[in-house]
Amino acid sequence: MTIELEEPPLTQDNKQVAKDLFAGTMGGIAQVLVGQPFDLVKVRLQSSPEGTYTGALDVIRKTLAHEGPLGFYKGTLTPLLGVGACVSVQFSVNEFMKRHFDKKLQGKPMTIVDYFACGAVAGFANGFLTSPIEHIRIRLQSQTGEKKVYSGPWDCAKKIYAENGIRGIYKGFGPTLFREAVGLGIYFATYEALVNRELKVHPKLTRSDIPAWKLCLFGAMSGYSLWIAIYPVDVIKSKLQTDGIKNGQYKNSLDVAKSVLRTQGIKGLYKGFLPTILRAAPANGATFAVFEITMRLLG
């Protein structure tokens, strides 16, 4: 049975694309500022050698002891600039695809599958940008102790490129692309389903009438659906991106999965899941709420 979702007619022009990009950038900045401490805890749990940390609270305790509160924002410059750009791509491509479907369907309601397709295309496009940004961020976040290999994002990028060229910069690209395409398909489809359900329950409401707290709630639920669906892929990606640049321990994604299952079992593919799922609600709630409110302000 096909689920049909109502969506108001959309217009497509350069001005609208510019609005989508700007609103997406604002949403991305909000996502980083809210979610960065959770993300650092997740990355360190995912990528550190077995036994380094006993859990998320141990990461927090050791980070505070050795690096202070600002340690939770290590590597923030890269995601602040990069995630702002990535989220602007995600949202602008998703909105572009929604307008494409609206034109194709000649005003007929889009289905949940249509919304998934829009998000998947947005994720695929975003994968080419987010892969090197996340790689650099993860290298910086996983540095602990006094001796640092990289002094900052630009130094990190230069050293990776010097060691293995563009291939090194795009290490972990395969699982990143899969995560983005499938994950964002689920992410945006969930959000649009929740928005349209709200409009059906309250027929007199328009999208711009939905209060900010509900937008946050819908964004939080969308974040939960994304991470529950694709978390093991993110673990594989993180392990690849903290492995040796040129001659690493792992050959490819499948080799990572086999190694984790052999040494840690299925729980190894969910390492760091708790801080990720705790981050999902505030970070994604903020992302969607800021995007929608910015779009309203832009008219």
Side-chain angles (χ1 to χ4, degrees):
M1 179 179 171
T2 301
I3 301 173
E4 293 193 346
L5 303 175
E6 294 178 1
E7 178 70 16
L10 296 166
T11 59
Q12 183 174 340
D13 54 33
N14 292 336
K15 186 178 179 181
Q16 186 62 52
V17 172
K19 288 180 181 179
D20 295 340
L21 286 167
F22 180 76
T25 300
M26 293 300 100
I29 290 171
Q31 183 180 112
V32 173
L33 294 177
V34 172
Q36 181 74 356
F38 296 94
D39 194 66
L40 179 130
V41 174
K42 178 202 77 168
V43 167
R44 289 189 174 177
L45 281 173
Q46 286 180 341
S47 59
S48 298
E50 189 71 16
T52 305
Y53 302 108
T54 58
L57 290 177
D58 191 38
V59 177
I60 294 169
R61 182 178 61 81
K62 288 179 177 176
T63 301
L64 283 171
H66 299 296
E67 303 168 60
L70 291 179
F72 291 100
Y73 282 89
K74 180 177 281 187
T76 301
L77 177 61
T78 302
L80 195 61
L81 298 174
V83 173
C86 289
V87 176
S88 73
V89 169
Q90 293 170 17
F91 277 83
S92 61
V93 173
N94 183 63
E95 294 296 315
F96 177 88
M97 289 303 297
K98 283 164 62 180
R99 292 192 289 273
H100 167 76
F101 270 95
D102 183 69
K103 185 178 179 181
K104 181 180 176 182
L105 295 170
Q106 297 181 333
K108 293 179 182 177
M110 288 174 63
T111 67
I112 195 76
V113 175
D114 295 332
Y115 282 117
F116 175 86
C118 292
V121 172
F124 184 84
N126 187 56
F128 291 86
L129 181 61
T130 198
S131 182
I133 289 170
E134 286 200 4
H135 184 195
I136 292 166
R137 184 196 70 195
I138 283 173
R139 293 277 173 191
L140 292 171
Q141 286 180 329
S142 59
Q143 290 189 130
T144 56
E146 294 296 324
K147 191 176 180 181
K148 301 290 192 295
V149 178
Y150 310 112
S151 61
W154 310 121
D155 182 55
C156 182
K158 284 191 292 183
K159 286 178 177 175
I160 293 172
Y161 185 81
E163 190 170 344
N164 202 27
I166 196 69
R167 186 173 182 178
I169 294 290
Y170 272 88
K171 190 174 181 69
F173 177 65
T176 302
L177 199 63
F178 180 87
R179 183 200 67 182
E180 291 296 296
V182 176
L184 288 184
I186 294 168
Y187 184 62
F188 283 113
T190 301
Y191 183 77
E192 294 295 342
L194 291 169
V195 167
N196 280 278
R197 179 184 178 277
E198 181 72 9
L199 296 178
K200 283 184 177 180
V201 171
H202 305 284
K204 293 182 179 180
L205 282 182
T206 65
R207 191 176 184 119
S208 60
D209 294 325
I210 299 174
W213 71 268
K214 282 194 176 181
L215 297 175
C216 282
L217 178 61
F218 298 160
M221 296 304 294
S222 301
Y224 285 146
S225 68
L226 183 156
W227 286 111
I228 289 169
I230 52 81
Y231 190 79
V233 179
D234 190 67
V235 172
I236 291 168
K237 176 197 73 72
S238 292
K239 284 193 170 291
L240 278 175
Q241 291 182 330
T242 51
D243 196 18
I245 301 295
K246 198 169 185 179
N247 300 308
Q249 177 184 351
Y250 306 111
K251 296 176 184 177
N252 49 42
S253 298
L254 184 60
D255 193 34
V256 176
K258 286 179 179 178
S259 175
V260 172
L261 288 171
R262 184 175 62 252
T263 58
Q264 302 173 50
I266 192 70
K267 69 177 183 180
L269 291 175
Y270 285 89
K271 201 170 185 179
F273 183 72
L274 179 60
T276 301
I277 211 68
L278 290 175
R279 172 189 181 274
N284 293 289
T287 302
F288 274 105
V290 170
F291 173 80
E292 293 274 4
I293 291 168
T294 303
M295 289 295 288
R296 292 176 189 180
L297 292 172
L298 291 173

